[in-house]
Amino acid sequence: MAKGRAAVTSRPFRLGREALLLVALIVLCTIFSLQSEFFLTERNFTTILRNSVDLAVICAAMTIIIILGGIDVSVGGVLAVSAVIIGRAYQMGMPDWVVVPMGLATGAVLGALNGVIIARTRVPPIVATLGTMYIYIAVLFLVIGGVWISGLPNTLSFLVLGEFAGLPAGIYVIGVTYLFSWLLLRRTPWGQRVVAIGCDELSARLVGIPVEKTKIQAYALIGLFAGVAAVLYVARLRNVEVNIGTNIALEAIAATILGGANIRGGVGSLIGALMGVLFIKMTQNGLVLIGVSSLWETVVIGALLIIVLVIDALGERRTR
Amino acid sequence: MKDPLTQRLWFLFGLLIAAGVAGTLLSEHFLKASTVGFLLQYVPVLGVLGLAQTLIMLSGGPGIDLSIGATMSLAGLAIAALFTAGVPLVLACVVGLAVGAALGAVNAVLICVLQVPSLMATLATFFAYSGLALALTGGSPIGGLPDWFAVLAQGRFLGIPVHMWVVFVPLAIVLHVMLAHTRVGSHIYAAGNDERAAFLAGVKVWRLRFGLYVLSGVIAGIAAIMTLSWFQAARPDAGDGMELLSVTIAVLGGTHIFGGIGRISGTVLAVLIVTTLQVAFQLANISQAWQLAAIGILLIGSVVADNAVGDRLRQRMARPRG
């Protein structure tokens, strides 16, 4: 014990993951703005923000799931099914106040289904959500029938594209989502239960925490957030593509891990995850602006993830 | 028959027959001799990846290789690029296997030396490798391979594709013998069952896993060679979706995702089941969506069945012998 403490105090100062990410974001911005005069403009930042909204919303819930010690690779599928149901509902001429709750409910139900499979049948989360991912994508194909749904109404577009009090609307959406998630995670008994299960599921069970129930609720929450992301997606693009949501699960996991979450559970940071999202989206945007093919963006994200994992691993070694 | 693992194999065998019956009912073209060759055409590439995934999972950790498909794409591109640059094809293939091994070694260093969880490490390398495959080629395939090379994956011997004869079946047999009858095999099971006990018994657990991740890269290289021969071109997205499909096959075949339980024969049956379903649906002209749904349900269902098998195994072990 004393040895571990000595190792920690021997480090002169401890940079938090958030501070590290902030530095990385600033460095990234500097590089891009030196290469392209269009990068550091208000208009471009609004664009980056608009493109980040769906991923940011999903990442808030993904952080909670990873803290719980789980993972959800089916969020893309949930997003896709919610979006296609929203699209079909709009096509049938339903008004916003019917369509939006329908989309959210679809997401929450599909998420809860994941939760039930994981909690009740003890299928590991990665396998269970992999399986439901296939099923949800099948549902998408069956409903959409291989043709884009397009020309949807723009009544909700203000949620992403609009402006309130001089700031882009996306900021408020992200702000509300993250404030809600933070309060839930850090200021409620439910959030404490999530952390406890993520740290040590067996002990959590022994002290009487309803592990199954909490897990189902958490997966329902990420489903709900995927539903929110679907509403925002349709509001922003006013169409539903055939390959909607294919990469978003892996991007969300990457952003969450970049933000300091530990896949073994118990540890994670909402603000870090949000910065991870900004990092990914800024890279995608900046590479295009400086004339590098957008095909390189996955390489950059992958390389960055590897670097972060190596730094973490070396840090863990030193404190061990 | 009483052994739960053998029961599981019979269950898979039943599933395979059920898939065959479904195929016969769905399409009049299914029950023909030509279907066998057509069906087996799809087996080896997915099959060898499933075998690699089985080994990784068996050795525990928990182990998983999400980068296996991307490794396959990159190895294929390396071979095709070397060949168009004038390197003899056979030499290029050897280099391709080395590229696979090197990419696997990156995973191995991250997982076994730095102790990064395999899911995260291979997710990161999945991004890096698949991104590199797209970025280095600009998204376009590299073609122009010689016609004789097509013999490997397009030729038939006794109605069965050549790559079944020379790659998949021998590899499956070698790996089966390795797992069932050699010391390395029992070390793999030991590491997967109880890492600590295996370590205390003198098994070099992490060195063993290191080797398996490298082997997984080499097998991805083998899969790349077969795909090259089949399509006569290296596509940057050749391995897309293979990572998840190979995990599906390993798990469906009865490999426990946390290691220690599983057999090569299960994985082989699982490949045949998935391929039979795919071909049956294709022949019956049923939307690809149903095929995805069937795979998803099979995947979850097989793990639920597996948990039951695991429970019975544990009860058996708890019971005093004799």
Side-chain angles (χ1 to χ4, degrees), chain A residues 59-70:
Chain A
C59 266
M62 187 64 89
T63 309
I64 294 179
I65 287 288
I66 289 185
I67 291 178
L68 180 74

Side-chain angles (χ1 to χ4, degrees), chain B residues 78-263:
Chain B
I79 296 169
L82 281 174
F83 176 73
T84 38
V87 178
L89 191 51
V90 177
L91 184 63
C93 285
V94 174
V95 176
L97 294 181
V99 168
L103 297 177
V106 173
N107 286 331
V109 168
L110 283 172
I111 297 163
C112 305
V113 179
L114 294 167
Q115 301 282 320
V116 176
S118 59
L119 187 65
M120 271 204 292
T122 56
L123 178 70
T125 50
F126 160 75
F127 270 110
Y129 297 170
S130 60
L132 270 179
L134 273 175
L136 291 175
T137 57
S140 50
I142 306 177
L145 289 144
D147 285 337
W148 61 264
F149 189 50
V151 170
L152 176 64
Q154 292 178 23
R156 299 272 164 92
F157 179 69
L158 300 179
I160 290 176
V162 171
H163 56 337
M164 256 328 256
W165 289 111
V166 301
V167 182
F168 182 65
V169 175
L171 186 69
I173 292 174
V174 166
L175 292 181
H176 174 78
V177 170
M178 182 185 95
L179 276 181
H181 301 289
T182 69
R183 190 187 295 185
V184 179
S186 41
H187 283 183
I188 291 176
Y189 280 114
N193 258 323
D194 190 335
E195 183 176 303
R196 205 171 150 66
F199 174 74
L200 292 176
V203 176
K204 296 195 169 53
V205 174
W206 288 105
R207 196 181 287 179
L208 184 69
R209 288 179 186 154
F210 193 104
L212 288 178
Y213 280 102
V214 175
L215 179 66
S216 167
V218 174
I219 291 181
I222 295 175
I225 294 174
M226 290 191 285
T227 335
L228 267 182
S229 159
W230 189 359
F231 298 120
Q232 293 282 294
R235 286 174 32 182
D237 59 350
D240 274 20
M242 286 294 182
E243 50 287 326
L244 298 188
L245 217 48
S246 62
V247 172
T248 307
I249 282 168
V251 172
L252 178 62
T255 311
H256 199 278
I257 193 136
F258 294 124
I261 304 175
R263 283 181 188 178

Side-chain angles (χ1 to χ4, degrees), chain A residues 121-122 124 126-128 130-131 134 137-138 141-142 250 253 257 263-264 295-296 298-299 302 305-306 309-310 313 317, chain B residues 110 113-115 117 119-120 123-124 126-127 131-132 134-135 138 244-245 248 257 289-290 292-293 296 299 303 307 311:
Chain A
T121 64
R122 292 177 297 135
I126 171 101
V127 179
L130 191 59
Y134 283 123
I137 292 294
F141 282 177
L142 290 177
L250 294 183
I253 295 168
I257 303 241
I263 203 112
R264 295 190 180 101
L295 296 171
W296 282 97
T298 12
V299 185
L305 254 180
I306 295 176
L309 290 174
V310 169
R317 269 196 161 185
Chain B
L110 283 172
V113 179
L114 294 167
Q115 301 282 320
L119 187 65
M120 271 204 292
L123 178 70
F126 160 75
F127 270 110
L132 270 179
L134 273 175
L244 298 188
L245 217 48
T248 307
I257 193 136
W290 290 105
L292 291 177
L299 178 62
V303 180
N307 283 340
D311 288 348

Side-chain angles (χ1 to χ4, degrees), chain A residues 7-63:
Chain A
V8 172
T9 44
S10 73
R11 236 187 283 176
F13 59 94
R14 200 185 139 80
L15 262 182
R17 174 59 72 82
E18 289 87 352
L20 210 68
L21 267 174
L22 192 63
V23 173
L25 275 175
I26 292 171
V27 170
L28 193 73
C29 280
T30 319
I31 295 172
F32 283 144
S33 53
L34 287 177
Q35 297 287 324
S36 160
E37 51 184 315
F38 302 108
F39 183 78
L40 213 59
T41 56
E42 197 190 323
R43 207 168 139 198
N44 190 44
F45 272 77
T46 316
T47 312
I48 294 176
L49 189 76
R50 284 175 182 170
N51 291 335
S52 316
V53 176
D54 332 344
L55 186 62
V57 168
I58 285 181
C59 266
M62 187 64 89
T63 309

